[in-house]
Amino acid sequence: ERDFESAKERGSKHYKYDGRSLRQLIFHYYNGKHVDPVISHIRSVFEDSYQNIWFGTDGDGALLYSPGKVKFLRSDIGFTRCLAWFNNELWAGTFNAGLWRISPDLSRARRVNSSADREKVYYLDLAADNNGRLWIASRHGLEVVDHAGRSLFRYPYSSQTAKLMVHSHDTIMLFCDNRLHRFYSGRVISWLSSVDFAGVSSFLYTKDTLWVGSQFGIYRCATSAGFDRNRLFSARNKLSASGIYALLLHKGSIWAATGNGFEIFALDGTRKTLPANVAELQNEVISALMADEQGRIWFSGNHGLGCINYDNDRSICFPAQNNLQSPEFNYNAACRSPGGNLYFGGIQGINGFDPAWFNPVKKNPGVRLLSLFISDSAYTNGMPPVNTQVELNRKAPHISGKVFCSDYTNAGTRLFSFYLEGSRQVWSKPSTGNDFSYRDLPPGKYRLLVKSSDPLQNWSEPVTLITISISPPFWETGWFLFLSAFLITTITALVVRYINAARYTRRIHALEQQNAIENERLRISKDMHDDLGASLTRISILSELAKKQQGDPARSQQIISQISDISGGVVDDLSEIIWAMNPRNDSLDSFTSYIRQYMSTYLESAEINCRFIFPEETPGYQMSSELRRNLFLTVKEALHNVVKHSNAANVQMEIKIDGQKLHITLADDGKGFKADNMRIGGNGLINMRKRIEDNGGLFNLITDVEKGTKIELSVRLHGWKKSH
């Protein structure tokens, strides 16, 4: 069919004629890592609708050729550390297995003989120069050979790492551990120089820029800097701290292979966001990178080979079952032939392939039901029909079954994903399992869909397998729910009427509280305006007066002292207002603590001794802000009178708590006064009494000439104890 024809048998040989030339066909049977030739008598050839070619044989069954399926060739030469294309052959350096020359199809491999014992050498890198010679770097030195493997030049050294770089037409550079060696690669090879450097794993040029990858990260600098170690490896040139195994320039971006997936950079050095199909490889060790002529990136690592199709966001991995030498590949062991073939070296040998044969985009066959079980009973004896419609019993709402796909080329490797519309709103995780099971489904309507993918991530269109309906019980029907809703609404209305009175009462109480808060705000505003405003006005007037008295230093100093005294008073007044405003202080223990601090500070400045008789443990009764403020202002006014009028040397404050009653006694040993002579205290004593009595308390003043003064306060605490 088409361009494929089977020529007449000439012994056991078969041929393909494409209209221009006749080529021999060789059949191989792939089974995991094993490849065996197949010698068969072909009787017929058939091409199916998916462009697969079937060969009918006499005695060997049907042979299948599937175009677009990459075929990895293999050569088991041992631990392959480096590869190079030289003299139309693939040359490979191994670890203790010699230096090899291998045919492009990897079918023939022979060790390169030399007077030196090459079998016990760890080869690190290979590079062909412009004069038809191969440069070989190992742990023991550099060797240059001709196309027959004859040694032309040697340079001994001892190094754990080595990387060759063809720097110019007649210069080759060799990076060995922490040394850089330059060699002349002209007609007569010679050593030029050696300098200290750093270990290098990969490098490339982009216009006037040099990119260098090492175990310490990736560096970018201008080529004009040369290979000066200090300039190249400066901190400003460092783009990443990840250990780099390989670098690749691909479609205007720099791809870096690391021990944790890929990193991508723009040509100006900025890091790019990884596409989703590349980001999913972040836990992979990427050893080598190469691009094919189709614009795809091929990579090797510790889990086989992979291909990244950057245009359609697809990453495809090939594990050891694809005839790979092993799942693990080595860094710096990658090579591309002039014809486009790619080669990767690993711990057991080499894999090579022609990427032009690989076409991952394929049409996917549909998915069908193979079996179906309804409530654990078989639905049909044979295959169920397409888009089966079933109704499940609500007492056994179970459904299960299997599907199949007619993709015989990927049998056993296809992935299936299911989606039960109306229940789970996500597709199931793709797996090779072709069975589904849903148990104890709630009443409702459902639709089961399925899609499948081949190993190349070609997904089929979703197909509806089954339409399911489950009737609910009577208590979940519409009429029953309507009746229930009516009864609930009626009962709710009665309950609402009953609780409205309580709700209105709580609302009135809340409004009263809000009104009290507003009154408190107005009071605070008035205090700040009256006290602080007046003081600030005095400071302003005195400041202007001080400016005018610059010629009289004594007078100016007197005014400044007044400003200082007033400012201190403003700070104290502001502190008191803030304390009064803070609701956290609305407790008896906070009040006593503040009174103790205020009284000690105030009397200390007046050089009056003070003594406190307080309970060892003050109960944490809640106090209203109004009561707390009035008590404080009363005590403050009493202390002011002591300092201003009493000439006392000692003051004593005693606090007692009797149930919910608070008793405060403030006594001094000053000169006292006649109790009926209220003018001594001005309006202060009257205001003190009024503050206490307005809060339902008792105010008592005991004094006489030369007998000191005692003030007794008693109020009721209407709050509650705080929980501890």
Side-chain angles (χ1 to χ4, degrees), residues 502-550:
R503 181 179 298 174
Y504 292 149
T505 302
R506 290 194 298 270
R507 179 60 178 167
I508 292 172
H509 180 67
L511 291 175
E512 291 175 348
Q513 289 183 329
Q514 184 176 357
N515 185 56
I517 293 173
E518 291 297 330
N519 291 335
E520 182 68 11
R521 289 177 178 172
L522 291 174
R523 181 194 60 75
I524 294 171
S525 175
K526 181 177 181 301
D527 288 348
M528 295 185 68
H529 178 271
D530 294 344
D531 297 338
L532 300 184
S535 298
L536 292 175
T537 300
R538 291 183 63 195
I539 291 174
S540 177
I541 294 172
L542 290 173
S543 298
E544 293 296 328
L545 184 59
K547 291 180 182 179
K548 298 178 180 180
Q549 298 296 330
Q550 293 181 359

Short mmCIF file of all heavy atoms in Angstrom, two decimals, residues 502-550:
data_model
loop_
_atom_site.label_atom_id
_atom_site.label_comp_id
_atom_site.label_asym_id
_atom_site.label_seq_id
_atom_site.Cartn_x
_atom_site.Cartn_y
_atom_site.Cartn_z
N ALA A 502 -38.46 40.92 74.18
CA ALA A 502 -37.11 40.87 74.78
C ALA A 502 -36.09 41.56 73.89
O ALA A 502 -35.17 42.25 74.36
CB ALA A 502 -36.72 39.43 75.04
N ARG A 503 -36.26 41.40 72.60
CA ARG A 503 -35.33 42.03 71.66
C ARG A 503 -35.42 43.55 71.74
O ARG A 503 -34.41 44.25 71.73
CB ARG A 503 -35.62 41.55 70.24
CG ARG A 503 -34.70 42.13 69.19
CD ARG A 503 -35.04 41.60 67.82
NE ARG A 503 -34.88 40.16 67.76
CZ ARG A 503 -35.23 39.43 66.70
NH1 ARG A 503 -35.79 40.02 65.64
NH2 ARG A 503 -35.04 38.12 66.70
N TYR A 504 -36.68 44.09 71.82
CA TYR A 504 -36.85 45.53 71.92
C TYR A 504 -36.26 46.06 73.22
O TYR A 504 -35.66 47.15 73.26
CB TYR A 504 -38.33 45.90 71.83
CG TYR A 504 -38.93 45.64 70.47
CD1 TYR A 504 -40.28 45.28 70.34
CD2 TYR A 504 -38.15 45.74 69.31
CE1 TYR A 504 -40.83 45.03 69.09
CE2 TYR A 504 -38.70 45.50 68.07
CZ TYR A 504 -40.03 45.14 67.96
OH TYR A 504 -40.56 44.88 66.72
N THR A 505 -36.43 45.28 74.30
CA THR A 505 -35.87 45.69 75.59
C THR A 505 -34.34 45.79 75.51
O THR A 505 -33.73 46.74 75.99
CB THR A 505 -36.29 44.70 76.69
OG1 THR A 505 -37.72 44.65 76.75
CG2 THR A 505 -35.71 45.13 78.03
N ARG A 506 -33.74 44.76 74.91
CA ARG A 506 -32.28 44.79 74.76
C ARG A 506 -31.84 45.95 73.88
O ARG A 506 -30.80 46.56 74.11
CB ARG A 506 -31.79 43.46 74.18
CG ARG A 506 -31.89 42.28 75.14
CD ARG A 506 -31.09 41.12 74.64
NE ARG A 506 -31.58 40.63 73.36
CZ ARG A 506 -32.51 39.69 73.20
NH1 ARG A 506 -33.06 39.13 74.29
NH2 ARG A 506 -32.90 39.29 72.01
N ARG A 507 -32.68 46.27 72.87
CA ARG A 507 -32.33 47.38 71.98
C ARG A 507 -32.34 48.70 72.73
O ARG A 507 -31.46 49.55 72.56
CB ARG A 507 -33.33 47.42 70.82
CG ARG A 507 -33.11 48.55 69.84
CD ARG A 507 -31.75 48.46 69.20
NE ARG A 507 -31.53 49.51 68.22
CZ ARG A 507 -30.37 49.82 67.69
NH1 ARG A 507 -29.28 49.16 68.09
NH2 ARG A 507 -30.27 50.77 66.79
N ILE A 508 -33.38 48.89 73.59
CA ILE A 508 -33.46 50.13 74.38
C ILE A 508 -32.26 50.23 75.31
O ILE A 508 -31.65 51.30 75.47
CB ILE A 508 -34.79 50.17 75.16
CG1 ILE A 508 -35.96 50.32 74.18
CG2 ILE A 508 -34.77 51.29 76.19
CD1 ILE A 508 -37.31 50.19 74.84
N HIS A 509 -31.90 49.10 75.94
CA HIS A 509 -30.75 49.10 76.83
C HIS A 509 -29.47 49.46 76.06
O HIS A 509 -28.62 50.22 76.55
CB HIS A 509 -30.61 47.73 77.49
CG HIS A 509 -29.45 47.64 78.44
ND1 HIS A 509 -29.40 48.35 79.62
CD2 HIS A 509 -28.29 46.92 78.35
CE1 HIS A 509 -28.26 48.07 80.23
NE2 HIS A 509 -27.57 47.21 79.48
N ALA A 510 -29.34 48.94 74.84
CA ALA A 510 -28.16 49.24 74.02
C ALA A 510 -28.11 50.72 73.66
O ALA A 510 -27.03 51.34 73.65
CB ALA A 510 -28.16 48.38 72.75
N LEU A 511 -29.30 51.30 73.37
CA LEU A 511 -29.33 52.73 73.05
C LEU A 511 -28.93 53.56 74.25
O LEU A 511 -28.26 54.60 74.12
CB LEU A 511 -30.74 53.11 72.57
CG LEU A 511 -31.15 52.56 71.19
CD1 LEU A 511 -32.60 52.90 70.89
CD2 LEU A 511 -30.24 53.11 70.09
N GLU A 512 -29.40 53.12 75.44
CA GLU A 512 -29.01 53.84 76.65
C GLU A 512 -27.50 53.78 76.85
O GLU A 512 -26.86 54.77 77.22
CB GLU A 512 -29.74 53.25 77.86
CG GLU A 512 -31.24 53.54 77.86
CD GLU A 512 -31.94 52.85 79.02
OE1 GLU A 512 -31.29 51.99 79.66
OE2 GLU A 512 -33.11 53.17 79.27
N GLN A 513 -26.93 52.61 76.61
CA GLN A 513 -25.48 52.49 76.74
C GLN A 513 -24.77 53.37 75.72
O GLN A 513 -23.76 54.01 76.02
CB GLN A 513 -25.05 51.03 76.56
CG GLN A 513 -25.44 50.13 77.72
CD GLN A 513 -24.94 48.72 77.51
OE1 GLN A 513 -24.82 48.25 76.38
NE2 GLN A 513 -24.65 48.03 78.61
N GLN A 514 -25.31 53.39 74.49
CA GLN A 514 -24.70 54.22 73.45
C GLN A 514 -24.78 55.70 73.83
O GLN A 514 -23.84 56.47 73.59
CB GLN A 514 -25.40 53.97 72.11
CG GLN A 514 -24.78 54.73 70.95
CD GLN A 514 -25.43 54.37 69.63
OE1 GLN A 514 -26.32 53.52 69.59
NE2 GLN A 514 -25.01 55.02 68.57
N ASN A 515 -25.92 56.08 74.43
CA ASN A 515 -26.07 57.46 74.87
C ASN A 515 -25.07 57.79 75.97
O ASN A 515 -24.50 58.90 75.99
CB ASN A 515 -27.51 57.68 75.37
CG ASN A 515 -27.76 59.14 75.72
OD1 ASN A 515 -27.58 60.03 74.91
ND2 ASN A 515 -28.19 59.37 76.96
N ALA A 516 -24.85 56.83 76.86
CA ALA A 516 -23.86 57.06 77.92
C ALA A 516 -22.47 57.23 77.33
O ALA A 516 -21.67 58.05 77.78
CB ALA A 516 -23.89 55.89 78.91
N ILE A 517 -22.18 56.44 76.30
CA ILE A 517 -20.87 56.56 75.64
C ILE A 517 -20.72 57.93 74.99
O ILE A 517 -19.66 58.57 75.06
CB ILE A 517 -20.69 55.43 74.60
CG1 ILE A 517 -20.61 54.07 75.31
CG2 ILE A 517 -19.46 55.66 73.74
CD1 ILE A 517 -20.61 52.89 74.35
N GLU A 518 -21.79 58.41 74.35
CA GLU A 518 -21.74 59.71 73.71
C GLU A 518 -21.53 60.81 74.76
O GLU A 518 -20.77 61.77 74.53
CB GLU A 518 -23.04 59.97 72.93
CG GLU A 518 -23.22 59.09 71.70
CD GLU A 518 -22.13 59.35 70.67
OE1 GLU A 518 -21.63 60.50 70.61
OE2 GLU A 518 -21.77 58.41 69.95
N ASN A 519 -22.22 60.66 75.90
CA ASN A 519 -22.03 61.64 76.97
C ASN A 519 -20.59 61.64 77.47
O ASN A 519 -20.01 62.69 77.77
CB ASN A 519 -22.99 61.36 78.13
CG ASN A 519 -24.43 61.64 77.74
OD1 ASN A 519 -24.70 62.44 76.84
ND2 ASN A 519 -25.37 60.99 78.41
N GLU A 520 -20.02 60.42 77.56
CA GLU A 520 -18.63 60.32 78.02
C GLU A 520 -17.68 60.97 77.02
O GLU A 520 -16.72 61.65 77.39
CB GLU A 520 -18.27 58.83 78.21
CG GLU A 520 -16.86 58.59 78.73
CD GLU A 520 -16.68 59.05 80.16
OE1 GLU A 520 -17.70 59.36 80.83
OE2 GLU A 520 -15.52 59.10 80.62
N ARG A 521 -17.98 60.79 75.74
CA ARG A 521 -17.14 61.42 74.72
C ARG A 521 -17.23 62.95 74.82
O ARG A 521 -16.21 63.65 74.68
CB ARG A 521 -17.58 60.96 73.33
CG ARG A 521 -17.24 59.51 73.02
CD ARG A 521 -17.78 59.11 71.66
NE ARG A 521 -17.42 57.74 71.32
CZ ARG A 521 -17.89 57.09 70.26
NH1 ARG A 521 -18.75 57.69 69.44
NH2 ARG A 521 -17.49 55.86 70.03
N LEU A 522 -18.46 63.46 75.03
CA LEU A 522 -18.62 64.90 75.16
C LEU A 522 -17.87 65.42 76.38
O LEU A 522 -17.25 66.49 76.35
CB LEU A 522 -20.10 65.26 75.26
CG LEU A 522 -20.93 65.04 73.97
CD1 LEU A 522 -22.40 65.30 74.25
CD2 LEU A 522 -20.43 65.97 72.86
N ARG A 523 -17.93 64.67 77.48
CA ARG A 523 -17.22 65.07 78.69
C ARG A 523 -15.72 65.13 78.46
O ARG A 523 -15.03 66.09 78.86
CB ARG A 523 -17.53 64.10 79.83
CG ARG A 523 -16.84 64.47 81.14
CD ARG A 523 -16.90 63.33 82.13
NE ARG A 523 -16.25 62.15 81.62
CZ ARG A 523 -14.94 62.00 81.54
NH1 ARG A 523 -14.13 62.99 81.92
NH2 ARG A 523 -14.43 60.90 81.08
N ILE A 524 -15.19 64.09 77.79
CA ILE A 524 -13.75 64.06 77.52
C ILE A 524 -13.36 65.22 76.63
O ILE A 524 -12.33 65.88 76.82
CB ILE A 524 -13.36 62.71 76.88
CG1 ILE A 524 -13.56 61.58 77.89
CG2 ILE A 524 -11.92 62.73 76.38
CD1 ILE A 524 -13.42 60.20 77.29
N SER A 525 -14.22 65.48 75.62
CA SER A 525 -13.94 66.61 74.72
C SER A 525 -13.93 67.92 75.50
O SER A 525 -13.08 68.79 75.27
CB SER A 525 -14.99 66.64 73.60
OG SER A 525 -14.82 67.77 72.79
N LYS A 526 -14.88 68.07 76.44
CA LYS A 526 -14.95 69.30 77.23
C LYS A 526 -13.71 69.44 78.12
O LYS A 526 -13.12 70.52 78.23
CB LYS A 526 -16.22 69.28 78.09
CG LYS A 526 -16.42 70.53 78.95
CD LYS A 526 -17.74 70.45 79.69
CE LYS A 526 -17.97 71.70 80.53
NZ LYS A 526 -16.91 71.91 81.53
N ASP A 527 -13.30 68.31 78.74
CA ASP A 527 -12.11 68.36 79.60
C ASP A 527 -10.88 68.77 78.80
O ASP A 527 -10.07 69.59 79.25
CB ASP A 527 -11.87 67.00 80.25
CG ASP A 527 -12.91 66.70 81.32
OD1 ASP A 527 -13.66 67.64 81.70
OD2 ASP A 527 -12.99 65.53 81.77
N MET A 528 -10.75 68.18 77.63
CA MET A 528 -9.57 68.50 76.81
C MET A 528 -9.61 69.96 76.36
O MET A 528 -8.58 70.64 76.29
CB MET A 528 -9.50 67.57 75.59
CG MET A 528 -9.27 66.11 75.95
SD MET A 528 -9.05 65.05 74.51
CE MET A 528 -7.48 65.64 73.91
N HIS A 529 -10.84 70.45 76.06
CA HIS A 529 -10.96 71.85 75.62
C HIS A 529 -10.68 72.80 76.77
O HIS A 529 -9.95 73.79 76.62
CB HIS A 529 -12.35 72.08 75.04
CG HIS A 529 -12.57 73.51 74.59
ND1 HIS A 529 -13.07 74.47 75.44
CD2 HIS A 529 -12.34 74.10 73.40
CE1 HIS A 529 -13.15 75.61 74.80
NE2 HIS A 529 -12.73 75.43 73.54
N ASP A 530 -11.29 72.49 77.96
CA ASP A 530 -11.17 73.41 79.09
C ASP A 530 -9.77 73.38 79.67
O ASP A 530 -9.16 74.43 79.91
CB ASP A 530 -12.20 73.06 80.17
CG ASP A 530 -13.63 73.30 79.67
OD1 ASP A 530 -13.78 73.99 78.63
OD2 ASP A 530 -14.56 72.78 80.30
N ASP A 531 -9.27 72.17 79.95
CA ASP A 531 -7.98 72.05 80.65
C ASP A 531 -6.81 72.23 79.69
O ASP A 531 -5.98 73.12 79.83
CB ASP A 531 -7.89 70.69 81.35
CG ASP A 531 -8.97 70.55 82.42
OD1 ASP A 531 -9.47 71.59 82.89
OD2 ASP A 531 -9.29 69.41 82.79
N LEU A 532 -6.76 71.34 78.70
CA LEU A 532 -5.61 71.37 77.79
C LEU A 532 -5.65 72.62 76.94
O LEU A 532 -4.61 73.22 76.65
CB LEU A 532 -5.60 70.12 76.90
CG LEU A 532 -5.51 68.78 77.63
CD1 LEU A 532 -5.39 67.65 76.63
CD2 LEU A 532 -4.30 68.77 78.56
N GLY A 533 -6.86 73.00 76.46
CA GLY A 533 -6.94 74.18 75.60
C GLY A 533 -6.47 75.43 76.32
O GLY A 533 -5.73 76.25 75.75
N ALA A 534 -6.90 75.61 77.57
CA ALA A 534 -6.49 76.79 78.32
C ALA A 534 -4.98 76.80 78.55
O ALA A 534 -4.31 77.84 78.41
CB ALA A 534 -7.23 76.84 79.66
N SER A 535 -4.44 75.63 78.88
CA SER A 535 -2.99 75.56 79.12
C SER A 535 -2.21 75.85 77.86
O SER A 535 -1.20 76.56 77.88
CB SER A 535 -2.63 74.17 79.67
OG SER A 535 -3.27 73.95 80.90
N LEU A 536 -2.66 75.29 76.74
CA LEU A 536 -1.95 75.53 75.48
C LEU A 536 -2.05 76.99 75.08
O LEU A 536 -1.11 77.57 74.49
CB LEU A 536 -2.52 74.63 74.39
CG LEU A 536 -2.27 73.13 74.56
CD1 LEU A 536 -3.00 72.34 73.48
CD2 LEU A 536 -0.78 72.84 74.51
N THR A 537 -3.19 77.63 75.38
CA THR A 537 -3.33 79.05 75.07
C THR A 537 -2.35 79.88 75.91
O THR A 537 -1.69 80.81 75.41
CB THR A 537 -4.77 79.51 75.36
OG1 THR A 537 -5.68 78.74 74.54
CG2 THR A 537 -4.94 80.99 75.04
N ARG A 538 -2.20 79.53 77.18
CA ARG A 538 -1.24 80.23 78.04
C ARG A 538 0.18 80.05 77.53
O ARG A 538 0.98 80.99 77.52
CB ARG A 538 -1.36 79.71 79.48
CG ARG A 538 -2.67 80.09 80.16
CD ARG A 538 -2.65 79.58 81.60
NE ARG A 538 -1.57 80.22 82.36
CZ ARG A 538 -1.12 79.77 83.53
NH1 ARG A 538 -1.67 78.68 84.08
NH2 ARG A 538 -0.13 80.38 84.16
N ILE A 539 0.49 78.79 77.08
CA ILE A 539 1.84 78.54 76.54
C ILE A 539 2.08 79.41 75.32
O ILE A 539 3.16 79.98 75.13
CB ILE A 539 2.00 77.04 76.19
CG1 ILE A 539 2.04 76.21 77.47
CG2 ILE A 539 3.26 76.79 75.37
CD1 ILE A 539 2.04 74.72 77.24
N SER A 540 1.06 79.53 74.46
CA SER A 540 1.21 80.34 73.25
C SER A 540 1.44 81.81 73.61
O SER A 540 2.31 82.48 73.03
CB SER A 540 -0.04 80.19 72.38
OG SER A 540 0.03 81.02 71.24
N ILE A 541 0.66 82.33 74.57
CA ILE A 541 0.79 83.74 74.96
C ILE A 541 2.16 84.00 75.59
O ILE A 541 2.86 84.97 75.27
CB ILE A 541 -0.34 84.13 75.92
CG1 ILE A 541 -1.69 84.06 75.19
CG2 ILE A 541 -0.12 85.53 76.50
CD1 ILE A 541 -2.88 84.24 76.10
N LEU A 542 2.58 83.06 76.49
CA LEU A 542 3.87 83.23 77.14
C LEU A 542 5.02 83.13 76.15
O LEU A 542 6.06 83.79 76.30
CB LEU A 542 4.03 82.19 78.25
CG LEU A 542 3.12 82.39 79.48
CD1 LEU A 542 3.24 81.21 80.43
CD2 LEU A 542 3.48 83.70 80.20
N SER A 543 4.85 82.28 75.11
CA SER A 543 5.90 82.14 74.09
C SER A 543 6.07 83.45 73.35
O SER A 543 7.20 83.90 73.08
CB SER A 543 5.55 81.01 73.12
OG SER A 543 5.46 79.79 73.79
N GLU A 544 4.98 84.09 72.96
CA GLU A 544 5.07 85.38 72.28
C GLU A 544 5.69 86.44 73.20
O GLU A 544 6.47 87.29 72.76
CB GLU A 544 3.67 85.82 71.84
CG GLU A 544 3.06 84.96 70.74
CD GLU A 544 3.87 85.04 69.47
OE1 GLU A 544 4.47 86.11 69.19
OE2 GLU A 544 3.92 84.02 68.75
N LEU A 545 5.33 86.37 74.50
CA LEU A 545 5.87 87.33 75.46
C LEU A 545 7.37 87.13 75.63
O LEU A 545 8.14 88.08 75.75
CB LEU A 545 5.15 87.18 76.81
CG LEU A 545 5.53 88.20 77.90
CD1 LEU A 545 5.27 89.63 77.43
CD2 LEU A 545 4.76 87.90 79.18
N ALA A 546 7.81 85.85 75.62
CA ALA A 546 9.24 85.55 75.76
C ALA A 546 10.03 86.11 74.59
O ALA A 546 11.17 86.54 74.73
CB ALA A 546 9.44 84.04 75.88
N LYS A 547 9.42 86.09 73.39
CA LYS A 547 10.10 86.65 72.22
C LYS A 547 10.37 88.14 72.41
O LYS A 547 11.40 88.67 71.99
CB LYS A 547 9.26 86.42 70.96
CG LYS A 547 9.16 84.96 70.52
CD LYS A 547 8.32 84.86 69.27
CE LYS A 547 8.16 83.42 68.83
NZ LYS A 547 7.31 83.31 67.61
N LYS A 548 9.39 88.82 73.01
CA LYS A 548 9.52 90.26 73.18
C LYS A 548 10.47 90.63 74.32
O LYS A 548 10.88 91.79 74.45
CB LYS A 548 8.16 90.88 73.46
CG LYS A 548 7.17 90.69 72.30
CD LYS A 548 5.81 91.27 72.64
CE LYS A 548 4.81 91.09 71.50
NZ LYS A 548 3.48 91.65 71.82
N GLN A 549 10.79 89.67 75.20
CA GLN A 549 11.65 89.95 76.35
C GLN A 549 13.08 89.46 76.13
O GLN A 549 13.79 89.12 77.08
CB GLN A 549 11.07 89.25 77.60
CG GLN A 549 9.70 89.73 78.00
CD GLN A 549 9.69 91.18 78.41
OE1 GLN A 549 10.69 91.71 78.92
NE2 GLN A 549 8.57 91.87 78.16
N GLN A 550 13.49 89.36 74.87
CA GLN A 550 14.85 88.87 74.59
C GLN A 550 15.92 89.81 75.15
O GLN A 550 17.05 89.39 75.42
CB GLN A 550 15.04 88.69 73.08
CG GLN A 550 14.17 87.58 72.49
CD GLN A 550 14.39 87.40 71.00
OE1 GLN A 550 15.19 88.12 70.41
NE2 GLN A 550 13.67 86.45 70.41
#
